[in-house]
Amino acid sequence: MKQQDDGAQMIEQAQDFLDESEAIYALVKDLSDEQLEQKTAFKDWSINAILRHLHIWNMAAYWSLTEPAKFHEFFKQAMAGMKDHAKQGRTSMRYFEADYLDHLSGAALIDTWRDFYRKMAPEFEAADPAMRVEWAGPSMSARSSITARLMENWAHAQAIYDVLGLKRENHDRIRNIVMIGLNTYGWSFKVNREEAPQPVPYLKLTAPSGEIWEYGDPDTGEKIEGLAEQFCQVVTQTRNIADTDLSVTGPNAARWMEIAQCFAGAAEKPPAPGARARVES
């Protein structure tokens, strides 16, 4: 746990969020306008659409920390805007976000997004980790808020790596996503209107550094083993479990990996087997 000079705790996940954002920036900064309009395997969203999405909800998280009234005003506008687009039969969130940013795209979007996350990260790092901030559902701690932003940025960036045909180099900061995935075991079942079966499976995951991360009781007969990045891909729904090399033992573990969803909102179906993969050059 890092501390400030006065002894107050600092939120380490803010640096992880910044590092992940900078990795995405390195990925997109030299792309042409044409490349940025490529459709990805994530619901046919373009790279521009993904970056707009990340930027808008980064702003929302920042306002929830620094200007709660502004967050509430934005959220009301977002809900109304998405409802209007849905009535017209369009992908409500993507169209609202494009309208909200006046269809910002290309280099201007990349610069605006980067300037903002660089301003945002230090504010979260210095915040009280336990401070409650508002969000779409229940309030959460400031630490949980910036960790959720790290998770969403990491997850959406996978579609960019995939469409560009690039193998991702992950880092041990994805442990934050592993923890979100584990902590939302019950949520994954609840959102699908199922009782969460017990016990929670034991996890034995290999970190990008080669370190072994273990969680839970290894003697339950419920077990998931393999690469941490593949576990993160499943719980963020960037890969179907069938497209990973994870070893899954036990009915609880098997069902979890079929429906895992570590993000808020209504139940979402994981991508079909083979639907999300790196484009081969």
Side-chain angles (χ1 to χ4, degrees):
M1 176 71 68
K2 292 199 300 183
Q3 292 188 331
Q4 301 182 50
D5 292 341
D6 61 4
Q9 294 182 353
M10 299 177 71
I11 300 179
E12 296 180 17
Q13 286 82 1
Q15 183 64 52
D16 292 334
F17 162 78
L18 179 59
D19 290 343
E20 192 61 48
S21 299
E22 290 285 79
I24 301 169
Y25 172 74
L27 182 66
V28 301
K29 66 182 179 68
D30 294 325
L31 297 180
S32 66
D33 289 345
E34 183 179 8
Q35 287 175 307
L36 289 166
E37 275 301 310
Q38 289 181 92
K39 289 183 178 180
T40 71
F42 176 72
K43 302 180 180 181
D44 284 338
W45 284 28
S46 68
I47 297 175
N48 273 323
I50 289 173
L51 294 176
R52 283 193 289 264
H53 178 71
L54 297 182
H55 177 50
I56 278 184
W57 295 99
N58 282 350
M59 290 194 296
Y62 176 80
W63 293 330
S64 72
L65 178 76
T66 62
E67 299 180 77
K70 190 168 184 177
F71 168 76
H72 286 294
E73 177 186 343
F74 162 78
F75 195 72
K76 279 181 64 176
Q77 186 176 351
M79 293 301 101
M82 286 190 273
K83 186 176 181 180
D84 286 344
H85 281 296
K87 287 179 180 177
Q88 300 173 53
R90 298 189 294 205
T91 307
S92 57
M93 183 173 289
R94 178 175 37 151
Y95 279 91
F96 160 74
E97 291 165 351
D99 288 348
Y100 190 83
L101 291 176
D102 197 22
H103 295 264
L104 187 66
S105 63
L109 170 61
I110 291 170
D111 289 345
T112 301
W113 160 66
R114 191 187 196 206
D115 288 346
F116 194 90
Y117 73 64
R118 284 182 153 193
K119 176 180 80 169
M120 171 185 174
E123 291 281 352
F124 270 94
E125 185 175 41
D128 176 355
M131 175 185 173
R132 304 304 294 180
V133 296
E134 298 299 319
W135 199 240
S139 66
M140 66 181 90
S141 69
R143 185 195 307 280
S144 293
S145 178
I146 195 62
T147 306
R149 295 312 307 146
L150 165 64
M151 178 274 292
E152 188 167 0
N153 278 255
W154 182 89
H156 281 289
Q158 188 63 57
I160 304 177
Y161 282 95
D162 289 344
V163 76
L164 296 177
L166 299 175
K167 181 174 174 55
R168 188 175 205 165
E169 180 183 349
N170 279 295
H171 299 270
D172 281 10
R173 57 180 174 263
I174 66 170
R175 189 167 194 162
N176 294 293
I177 304 168
V178 169
M179 292 308 302
I180 292 177
L182 179 59
N183 291 339
T184 52
Y185 174 78
W187 165 253
S188 294
F189 289 91
K190 181 179 179 180
V191 76
N192 282 281
R193 300 184 179 183
E194 298 179 24
E195 290 291 328
Q198 298 300 318
V200 176
Y202 161 70
L203 299 183
K204 185 175 182 180
L205 303 173
T206 303
S209 66
E211 183 181 349
I212 302 299
W213 297 335
E214 296 182 79
Y215 304 94
D217 182 355
D219 297 323
T220 64
E222 296 284 344
K223 185 184 301 184
I224 299 170
E225 296 182 86
L227 296 179
E229 67 183 81
Q230 291 189 347
F231 175 79
C232 292
Q233 288 172 340
V234 174
V235 297
T236 59
Q237 295 191 353
T238 65
R239 290 287 189 275
N240 188 289
I241 182 64
D243 296 322
T244 74
D245 297 319
L246 292 172
S247 172
V248 180
T249 304
N252 299 359
R255 182 58 180 158
W256 182 24
M257 292 291 93
E258 288 175 354
I259 61 172
Q261 175 176 328
C262 73
F263 48 87
E268 291 274 355
K269 289 185 177 181
R276 304 267 178 91
R278 179 158 44 101
V279 173
E280 297 295 337
S281 57

